[in-house]
Amino acid sequence: MIRITIEEIKTAIEATGMQLIQRSYGNRDKNCGCPITIVAMYRNMKPPKTLGEIILAMEDHSVKDIRSIFGEEMDLSYVHGFMDGFDQFSAYSREAFSNEDAFNAYQLGHNDGALAAQTLLPVAMLQQEDAVTC
């Protein structure tokens, strides 16, 4: 399964010039996005996709749209888990998933997202209830 690493997020932020935010896929006017959106922009620089195209695909939550950004190997449960972990939401329990593979992918994504938040967001931001916005 393809995973999103802290190193890739850092590289993507530098390459795209985007600002990191939480609890939103992104803002076209302010050139900011969540880690998933920023990595998607970075991975889609050639051929380029617009920030608007990436945000629309993320908002649709469809397997087809996510895979159009990341490729066939990206697991939608992993993406949802990563976003929940980065946004500091509690993880869903096993009962919320149709099968063990989906649950395991979600858990892996949640752990990766939580680690990304802990590593990339300033400590003061992590202690607030408000999201990091741009």
Side-chain angles (χ1 to χ4, degrees):
M1 173 190 325
I2 291 187
R3 295 172 68 182
I4 296 173
T5 66
I6 292 167
E7 293 76 26
E8 184 178 23
I9 297 168
K10 288 178 179 179
T11 299
I13 290 169
E14 186 175 320
T16 63
M18 294 179 71
Q19 184 179 344
L20 194 61
I21 61 168
Q22 284 181 296
R23 299 185 187 158
S24 173
Y25 297 118
N27 183 311
R28 294 172 191 93
D29 298 328
K30 296 184 178 181
N31 197 39
C32 59
C34 71
I36 299 281
T37 299
I38 295 173
V39 169
M41 288 295 297
Y42 173 67
R43 289 185 182 183
N44 287 280
M45 290 176 88
K46 294 177 183 153
K49 288 192 190 280
T50 67
L51 179 55
E53 290 172 316
I54 301 291
I55 291 171
L56 282 175
M58 297 300 294
E59 289 172 343
D60 286 343
H61 291 273
S62 77
V63 172
K64 178 181 165 246
D65 289 332
I66 297 297
R67 288 189 173 157
S68 76
I69 300 169
F70 289 104
E72 291 297 316
E73 301 82 18
M74 184 56 74
D75 188 292
L76 189 58
S77 294
Y78 175 86
V79 171
H80 287 167
F82 189 99
M83 290 187 298
D84 285 351
F86 187 80
D87 289 342
Q88 301 170 321
F89 294 133
S90 297
Y92 287 109
S93 66
R94 167 64 183 95
E95 292 76 33
F97 296 88
S98 60
N99 62 62
E100 196 69 28
D101 289 341
F103 175 67
N104 291 338
Y106 176 86
Q107 285 293 106
L108 183 62
H110 194 277
N111 292 341
D112 287 352
L115 180 61
Q118 183 180 14
T119 304
L120 299 172
L121 297 177
V123 173
M125 297 289 193
L126 290 173
Q127 294 171 350
Q128 298 177 15
E129 288 196 20
D130 295 331
V132 177
T133 60
C134 61

